[in-house]
Amino acid sequence: QVQLVQSGAEVKKPGASVKVSCKASGYTFISYDIIWVRQATGQGLEWMGWMNPNSDTTAYAQAFQDRVTMTRDTSKNTAYMELTSLTSEDTAVYYCARVVVRGYCNAGSCYTGWFDPWGQGTLVTVSS
Amino acid sequence: QSVLTQSPSASGTPGQRVTISCSGSSSNIGTYTVNWYQQLPGTAPKLLIYTNDQRPSGVPDRFSGSKSGTSASLAISGLQSEDEADYYCAAWDASLNVVVFGGGTKLTVL
């Protein structure tokens, strides 16, 4: 079955960087985009950015533009998200998800891309 | 503060029908379709509804979605205890160039 398995929890000090992995199985990895979303404890979902594993093209949310890098290793069917200059506000669960259909506009109608499945999440705790 | 507005909580008794709303603007829901995600306690979000009203395979037809103007709704009929979860709406925002999510609605089955 289609599955995304993420790396384990991380504890980092302020100013450090973290790299989370997302291993795909059950489908052709390069055929679907991957997105990253984070969720602070008790809070909602925040879209961080998008990566095309085939072309290695990325797009990041403005809020993370200067600190996030999304990469992939096609030989390992794995996507990575690295976030630098961590602060306590980056403490959150980070999710990867497969983009089933990318957002697009056609014949006057515009569609939001949808995401399925999601990885199990990786808790990143930033604490001194 | 989330770009899409959802009521923080909703509740119902087993068998009831409940509706969860999601309000946006012309740059998101007014232009783009809406998707809904269900997040059971302690788990990752799961796709529930896409393109306003389409259910992925495996999602019971008790769940339905709709959209009108700059608002969208998720309806759950025949409420069951296992429906107790957080529900999030999502849409692309053409001004921000990101997918925006609602703040989530916590559904309690009484």
Side-chain angles (χ1 to χ4, degrees):
Chain A
Q1 75 281 22
V2 177
Q3 196 174 8
L4 298 175
V5 177
Q6 299 182 221
S7 49
E10 303 262 13
V11 179
K12 296 292 182 181
K13 293 196 181 301
S17 299
V18 68
K19 190 170 186 177
V20 179
S21 68
C22 171
K23 183 173 176 58
S25 62
Y27 73 96
T28 302
F29 177 61
I30 60 172
S31 296
Y32 295 86
D33 298 344
I34 293 284
I35 58 108
W36 290 87
V37 172
R38 77 176 185 181
Q39 183 174 37
T41 303
Q43 302 299 309
L45 303 169
E46 183 177 22
W47 189 85
M48 298 180 68
W50 154 95
M51 183 195 65
N52 181 309
N54 186 41
S55 64
D56 202 21
T57 306
T58 57
Y60 305 136
Q62 184 84 12
F64 303 99
Q65 185 74 38
D66 297 333
R67 299 196 295 134
V68 72
T69 304
M70 295 176 188
T71 58
R72 92 293 192 230
D73 183 336
T74 56
S75 68
K76 295 181 179 179
N77 289 345
T78 300
Y80 302 91
M81 186 283 300
E82 183 174 25
L83 190 62
T84 62
S85 302
L86 293 170
T87 72
S88 58
E89 295 188 350
D90 294 315
T91 295
V93 176
Y94 290 77
Y95 294 102
C96 62
R98 186 183 71 157
V99 180
V100 181
V101 173
R102 195 186 293 174
Y104 66 98
C105 291
N106 181 43
S109 295
C110 290
Y111 300 83
T112 299
W114 54 95
F115 317 135
D116 180 63
W118 294 55
Q120 83 277 19
T122 296
L123 175 61
V124 176
T125 302
V126 184
S127 174
S128 55
Chain B
Q1 189 157 348
S2 302
V3 174
L4 304 182
T5 301
Q6 296 182 241
S7 296
S9 63
S11 63
T13 57
Q16 264 191 334
R17 183 178 189 271
V18 297
T19 300
I20 295 170
S21 63
C22 174
S23 177
S25 67
S26 58
S27 64
N28 43 66
I29 294 179
T31 302
Y32 286 84
T33 58
V34 176
N35 305 319
W36 290 90
Y37 297 90
Q38 177 193 57
Q39 187 174 33
L40 297 170
T43 71
K46 168 194 164 187
L47 179 66
L48 193 65
I49 297 285
Y50 65 95
T51 312
N52 302 330
D53 57 9
Q54 301 298 300
R55 285 185 308 277
S57 60
V59 173
D61 59 7
R62 303 187 294 105
F63 295 90
S64 62
S66 63
K67 179 186 123 170
S68 178
T70 59
S71 295
S73 294
L74 172 72
I76 309 171
S77 60
L79 200 61
Q80 298 180 4
S81 58
E82 55 260 41
D83 298 333
E84 195 161 278
D86 293 324
Y87 293 86
Y88 294 91
C89 56
W92 181 260
D93 190 292
S95 295
L96 299 173
N97 280 322
V98 298
V99 171
V100 290
F101 291 92
T105 297
K106 184 177 183 62
L107 175 64
T108 301
V109 180
L110 301 170

